[in-house]
Amino acid sequence: QDYTFRATANSNENDEDYDGLVVFKNYVESASNGAIEVELFIGTQLCANGAECLQGVADGSIDIFVTTSGGAAGIFPYVQIFDLPYLMSDDRIAEEVLTNTDLTAQMRERALADSGDTIRIMTIGNTGGWRNFANTERRVTQPSDLEGLKIRTVVADLPQELVRAVGASPTPIPWPELFTSLQTGVVEGTKNGITDIMGMKFPDAGLQYLTLDGHAYMAAIWVMNNEAFTSLPPELQRVVVDGFAALQQATFASPKRKSIDAYAAFVDGGGDLYVPTPDEKVAFQEAASPVYDWFAQNVDGGDEMLTNFRAAITEAEENVNARRERDMP
Amino acid sequence: MAAILNSIRWLGALNAGALAVGRWVGVACMALMVVFILVQVFWRYVLSDPLPWPEEAARFGMLWLMVVAPTALRRGGFVAIDMIQRILPRLLGGVLALILLVLSLVVLVVAVRIGWAEVTGFSGRFTSSSLYYPTSGGWEKMPRAWMMASLVTGLAMMVSVVVELILRQVVRLAGRGGALPPIPEAVDVAAGAE
Amino acid sequence: MLIWFLPVFLVVLMIGLPVFFALLFAPGVMLWLSGQERDLVLLYRNMYNGMDSFPLMAIPFFMLAGELMNRGGITLRLVEFSQACVGHFRAGLAQVNILSSMLFAGLSGSAVADTSALGSMLIPAMEREGYTRRFSAAVTAASSVIGPIIPPSGIMIIYAYVMEQSVAALFLAGVVPGVLVGLGLMIVTNVIARRRSDFPPLRRRATWGEKGQASLKAFFPLLTPVIILGGILGGAFTPTEASAVAVAYAAIVSLFVLREMTWRDLPEVLLRAALASSVVLLLVGAAMAFKTVVALSHAPETLADFILTLAENPLILLLLINLLLFIVGMFLDAGPAIIILGPILGPIFTSLGVDPVHFAMIMSVNLTVGLATPPMGLVLFVASSVSGERVETIARAILPFLAVEVLVIGLITYVPAISLAVPRFFGFL
Ligand code: NA
Ligand code: NA
């Protein structure tokens, strides 16, 4: 082969990131007729967190990496738009935003500029569905039920603002300490996707109440070292771009399939799964609304990217509605 | 030889000063780390009002403990298997010790060069997630570079220490070991999370 | 080509390059020789990020707590308490040494701290009473490996950090194995004492009054583990925070209750802890960097395939692994060994059905015992510098104790309940 790409994801082989990478590797290696080889490093072997891995992508010691919006916030703060609550209504809208609007291209441009033309956003997929509020204490049907609960967040200001807005106390706990902290009561809740909740066996630690408020889309931002990409001949660039498109589809599909078993296991284990009514969802949205202003004012490039994001969502909703109408008799 | 002895005295004094500063920074960091974490526990458990910053602030302190490590290095507190050195005849053992010091120096110099590029380059531009510093225009997020500078500072101090140790070893090999000024306080600092 | 960093590492380590530099030099040189200079920056970055971790902070804190207790006279109270309990046994002071190590283990996370704190007190005392110096030093070294087995434990913190396990579960899992090692050492001491005629005569049994006095004095120090584990289990704080609480508690007891320490002693205590911590943190960082090259060279896959061709039966594999760990433990500190080998060996055994917490115990206890084996036995070095006896002499005197420790490793390996019962009882499994 002529090109070897090092791809890494800080998760494990049960994660949707891995599913995406397997699809990518398979597509790229065969479509390039073996000219490109993709080496997978799953876990924290090469780098252990968003900041560290993005540094690696910037200097070319890592070619391909997937980060959550939180992981990239330290250098591209505006990617946190995906953590803004209740903007996209469901998977179909989110996928339309990420495939058929200019949002990804706008982010790519901005990220290239901010990284001195080193980090290129290739595509944005999903990792783990949507974030929901889950807790060890009680069923949550409205924001006031969250009041007084200590909810674990990452050490980043946007998720903390959100938790504060709905009346709970944001508590930074490192991920590896979270299980014990839930079990002993250091914190009473989390905001994670169902596959992470089940993967970490949080219900065993008492996390038994889950409200499907779907407050944030768990976007997975796939980046590549810009030079590694642009130095490819055009026909191989095309293979890589198509590979990322296939990867994106795989990461859209994988959490949907995985979450079925995860939800079933959660309920089988005695978990209380609550789906808020449309009215209740509105109550959550209203409670969370201060976060948007906070984001536009406090986050570097936040205002601009939020405007882009809202425009993309409107466009996506129109597209989807038009197609829906066409598909119905 | 006199020139070497002279430079050892100068470098030794410089190292002794820098290391003393480093030790006081380390003492302060250690104390602050404890305070930060106690604040964190108190606010969360007693007041039920968790604070976002103590975790990162305490990590900041822990990273700056690095400036104490050169003291350990100068006093021989870095663990090594010295069996072979002791088995070898004196002269050979001394030459081996010199070679090992040079290898250490190579590692340190390469590390300092990379580390400096890291602090001043793209990596250092990431911002901290919960720490701010005051500027004339209000509070700004602290760049990660301020944390990253800890390791490269510690390593740079070690470069200076190893250069001194190399010069001392050269003098010893020349049979003038008796003329060397002693390194004070051989506190045993055997490493061990163990 | 890159895989040659392993032999290079062994060579530079054996000729005496400090572990920290060896961990960086070998991978660095091989990356350079194979034209992968861009990856040198990965090495540096993983070292830095390896140290930049919240859970690791428990290591400096437990070291500081240990320093405070030693300076504050807490160690002395523990020894007096042990004396009242087992001082009248055959080879009384040796038994006191072992029991003190077990108690000290509940406060400290480090075998080195144990050896230097208890050794500097008990080795001279044992010599005065008529034990040989080599025997005294050997008992001290052998029993101090209990330090990181009974919680709190620096090694378990590192294991949990690298392998993403629950620190609390590992801490609880260490209780029974630690007590077993202690009991085993006490039995061996008794057997040796029966066969030797040159041991000092029996001491008198402490009166109930003396026992009461000693217990009273040891009350506050002995409360430390209760506060640490109770606070963790009760949800007041995380294991990392518990280590800071332990520091505060030790400071309060030393400064205000026992009053053997003054504020003016504080800077030196802080400095000693900072010195030891900085070296350990560097080692952890360097080992994390080393681990990166382990991954880049695809060593884990090669090694896993190789290990699985040796035997299919997990029981036989566990025996082989114990052998491997014991040998590695002779040459490498427990911390770096865990960082490098844990990610390679852990997944193999969990996929064979071994509980991750159980495997953590097998690995940690084995590597901890390695601290008392030459040529790279940290505890032996410290025992030697505390007692003035040569490392080689202590290494010979320690053999019967090592034998019982190897026996306990066997028990831990083949009876999972020894490790798992306590964490299971508290709902951590
Ligand atoms: Na311990
Ligand atoms: Na050893």
Side-chain angles (χ1 to χ4, degrees), chain C residues 104-110 146-153:
Chain C
F104 194 83
L107 318 175
S108 141
S110 145
I146 302 169
I149 303 177
I150 290 181
S153 160

Side-chain angles (χ1 to χ4, degrees), chain A residues 50 53 117 132 134 182 191 198 230 250 262 291 298:
Chain A
C53 296
D117 273 338
N132 297 301
L182 284 167
K191 43 203 251 52
M198 297 313 289
T230 51
V291 175
N298 289 283

Side-chain angles (χ1 to χ4, degrees), chain C residues 149 180-181 318 322-323 325-326 358 361-370 402-415 418:
Chain C
I149 303 177
L180 271 184
V181 172
L318 281 172
N322 269 317
L323 271 172
L325 288 173
F326 196 79
H358 179 207
M361 277 312 117
I362 297 174
M363 212 168 155
S364 329
V365 175
N366 197 323
L367 290 171
T368 308
V369 169
L402 276 182
V404 77
E405 282 168 355
V406 168
L407 201 72
V408 174
I409 294 175
L411 274 176
I412 293 171
T413 306
Y414 291 113
V415 188
I418 292 175

Side-chain angles (χ1 to χ4, degrees), chain A:
Chain A
Q1 78 285 341
D2 310 320
Y3 302 91
T4 304
F5 293 139
R6 238 179 234 171
T8 190
N10 289 157
S11 40
N12 56 49
E13 301 194 350
N14 297 318
D15 198 273
E16 18 310 268
D17 296 345
Y18 180 69
D19 294 340
L21 276 175
V22 170
V23 169
F24 177 79
K25 176 178 162 76
N26 180 56
Y27 179 88
V28 169
E29 288 182 350
S30 53
S32 70
N33 243 326
I36 298 177
E37 188 197 337
V38 182
E39 261 187 299
L40 303 187
F41 293 91
I42 307 301
T44 54
Q45 301 162 321
L46 297 189
C47 54
N49 56 51
E52 189 187 350
C53 296
L54 286 171
Q55 290 161 15
V57 175
D59 65 37
S61 53
I62 294 166
D63 299 298
I64 293 162
F65 171 63
V66 57
T67 175
T68 58
S69 44
I75 189 78
F76 311 132
Y78 39 85
V79 300
Q80 294 181 92
I81 49 170
F82 296 110
D83 293 328
L84 284 171
Y86 313 114
L87 284 176
M88 301 191 289
S89 49
D90 54 34
D91 276 327
R92 191 161 182 199
I93 297 298
E95 287 163 18
E96 183 73 13
V97 165
L98 295 175
T99 47
N100 284 328
T101 71
D102 291 335
L103 186 74
T104 309
Q106 287 158 346
M107 284 199 162
R108 174 183 308 133
E109 207 172 308
R110 184 76 212 247
L112 274 171
D114 287 347
S115 63
D117 273 338
T118 57
I119 298 182
R120 185 181 185 88
I121 295 179
M122 301 304 292
T123 189
I124 301 177
N126 182 280
T127 178
W130 296 73
R131 286 186 189 280
N132 297 301
F133 284 113
N135 76 88
T136 58
E137 300 298 303
R138 53 182 172 255
R139 174 182 281 189
V140 170
T141 63
Q142 51 198 3
S144 63
D145 294 333
L146 284 167
E147 225 154 271
L149 290 184
K150 289 194 274 268
I151 305 282
R152 181 265 176 182
T153 67
V154 290
V155 193
D157 27 28
L158 177 63
Q160 294 184 352
E161 286 297 326
L162 169 64
V163 168
R164 217 169 282 132
V166 297
S169 307
T171 310
I173 296 280
W175 184 246
E177 291 197 337
L178 185 49
F179 182 93
T180 310
S181 301
L182 284 167
Q183 185 170 44
T184 59
V186 169
V187 288
E188 289 121 357
T190 68
K191 43 203 251 52
N192 289 111
I194 184 70
T195 47
D196 282 340
I197 289 178
M198 297 313 289
M200 294 293 284
K201 302 198 177 105
F202 287 155
D204 295 350
L207 200 73
Q208 292 289 3
Y209 300 92
L210 181 57
T211 299
L212 294 182
D213 68 315
H215 60 260
Y217 188 70
M218 297 184 67
I221 300 153
W222 291 83
V223 297
M224 184 165 177
N225 174 270
N226 191 43
E227 207 201 316
F229 176 74
T230 51
S231 63
L232 289 172
E235 65 275 14
L236 288 183
Q237 286 188 6
R238 196 179 129 161
V239 167
V240 169
V241 166
D242 288 351
F244 275 111
L247 170 154
Q248 183 191 36
Q249 289 303 320
T251 67
F252 285 157
S254 169
K256 292 187 193 114
R257 174 68 186 86
K258 282 182 176 152
S259 62
I260 297 173
D261 295 339
Y263 281 122
F266 178 76
V267 174
D268 283 347
D272 179 73
L273 194 64
Y274 183 74
V275 186
T277 65
D279 283 351
E280 286 166 345
K281 252 191 129 163
V282 170
F284 277 107
Q285 286 171 21
E286 277 170 9
S289 58
V291 175
Y292 307 124
D293 288 339
W294 180 90
F295 185 80
Q297 280 162 21
N298 289 283
V299 172
D300 218 14
D303 199 12
E304 178 202 336
M305 204 54 77
L306 183 54
T307 311
N308 293 343
F309 193 31
R310 287 192 198 269
I313 293 169
T314 313
E315 187 189 337
E317 283 167 345
E318 281 163 8
N319 292 347
V320 168
N321 282 336
R323 252 180 286 144
R324 218 180 249 144
E325 258 166 55
R326 209 181 49 204
D327 292 347
M328 293 192 304

Side-chain angles (χ1 to χ4, degrees), chain B residues 24 27-28 30-31, chain C residues 64 67-68 71-72 247 250-252 254-256 261-274:
Chain B
W24 279 107
V27 165
M30 200 82 203
Chain C
L64 179 55
E67 288 291 341
L68 280 166
R71 175 60 60 91
V247 169
I252 290 170
S254 306
L255 285 169
F256 303 117
M261 202 179 98
T262 66
W263 289 99
R264 306 178 74 178
D265 298 326
L266 218 45
E268 202 208 315
V269 170
L270 287 165
L271 176 61
R272 289 181 67 96

